[in-house]
Amino acid sequence: DASVADQGPVGGDTPGNVGIETGLASESVPTEVEQVIPLPSLLIPAASITVQYRRPVDAAFESSVSLTVGGAPSGVTFSAAATDELSFSASNPGSAGLRFGIDLAPVAGSAPDADDRQPHHVRFDYLLAAVDSDVDPVGGDINGSVASAQPVVFPTIVTGAIGIPGDSDHYRMTLQAGDVFYVDLIAGRRESILIANVSILSSDGSVVFSASAAEPPISRDPELAPFTVPADGDYVVRVGSVDASGSAAAVYELQVSTR
């Protein structure tokens, strides 16, 4: 009945026998996907992924991987990795805006251990993005206002920095009514010193939506929910520091897309 007194190789252990049962065989660790890098929730600049398992796997697991780019099958190129990882990339990576899918089929390894297998089909989906950079990472007026906002297309990963105290960076996007606009500001998650705030502004500079890393619930980065665009036009994403500080170490990654 799963009580303490009924555990052990033949049952009948006394209630006082609490702890590791030495008469039982050692528990084996199953082959399970522990994490994928980068996370599927993030935009990615290239169709390159690492899958980490809870235990070492052998070359047989490579045969379980299949990729699609833009809905079409893609060849797979594997690279050297630790025995508990599979690192691979698409041989025809495609371009920004294409969907990138990873399928891990059920597979058994060559080891006699019955747990050396992946029993379930697993799929992860990504969106390929272009890469851009802050035109004024040292801080200044080049993209420091709505009027001088740096134009950005979708989907894009922008790397930048709040380079001096009081600096803010502005990025302009053209959106259509009904678009679902996604903004993700990554700073603390990459060990940056920046405690960021990020705002979506209309073309006249009024704040449509805003979030801060310092607002409850306390998080390491601002959390912006998907924003449904109310009307056609240009919108601006403004990135700044909560406490108006800034330095070369206050780096960030801004991910913008419409889905």
Side-chain angles (χ1 to χ4, degrees):
D1 61 3
S3 68
V4 173
D6 200 31
Q7 293 177 5
V10 295
D13 282 0
T14 64
N17 187 12
V18 177
I20 298 174
E21 173 52 66
T22 57
L24 293 174
S26 298
E27 180 184 0
S28 59
V29 180
T31 303
E32 295 176 349
V33 175
E34 188 170 50
Q35 66 173 331
V36 290
I37 303 172
L39 295 172
S41 59
L42 300 177
L43 301 178
I44 58 174
S48 299
I49 300 295
T50 296
V51 180
Q52 292 184 341
Y53 291 89
R54 289 188 60 196
R55 59 179 284 154
V57 296
D58 60 34
F61 278 67
E62 294 183 4
S63 65
S64 74
V65 178
S66 61
L67 308 181
T68 55
V69 177
S74 169
V76 185
T77 302
F78 288 92
S79 60
T83 56
D84 59 350
E85 292 182 355
L86 289 181
S87 294
F88 50 88
S89 59
S91 56
N92 54 330
S95 57
L98 287 179
R99 297 285 175 180
F100 171 44
I102 310 167
D103 284 277
L104 304 176
V107 62
S110 59
D113 188 338
D115 286 324
D116 188 23
R117 61 190 178 89
Q118 177 182 286
H120 304 292
H121 173 255
V122 183
R123 179 177 175 86
F124 303 100
D125 289 295
Y126 294 86
L127 183 63
L128 291 171
V131 178
D132 202 351
S133 59
D134 176 9
V135 295
D136 195 15
V138 297
D141 295 328
I142 298 177
N143 63 356
S145 67
V146 172
S148 62
Q150 179 177 336
V152 172
V153 296
F154 300 114
T156 296
I157 300 168
V158 184
T159 58
I162 302 301
I164 59 174
D167 183 24
S168 61
D169 295 330
H170 295 71
Y171 301 97
R172 182 181 302 276
M173 300 93 183
T174 301
L175 300 169
Q176 296 181 337
D179 283 348
V180 180
F181 183 36
Y182 290 80
V183 178
D184 192 7
L185 195 286
I186 304 170
R189 284 172 282 173
R190 302 279 173 80
E191 306 299 330
S192 171
I193 67 170
L194 176 64
I195 302 175
N197 58 36
V198 60
S199 302
I200 300 174
L201 313 176
S202 61
S203 57
D204 64 2
S206 58
V207 177
V208 178
F209 190 75
S210 183
S212 170
E215 294 174 354
I218 296 173
S219 62
R220 300 183 67 183
D221 289 320
E223 296 182 5
L224 281 84
F227 170 66
T228 301
V229 179
D232 294 356
D234 285 352
Y235 291 80
V236 173
V237 174
R238 180 179 63 201
V239 180
S241 171
V242 168
D243 57 2
S245 62
S247 77
V251 296
Y252 64 83
E253 180 179 294
L254 176 68
Q255 298 199 352
V256 291
S257 64
T258 55
R259 310 282 176 91

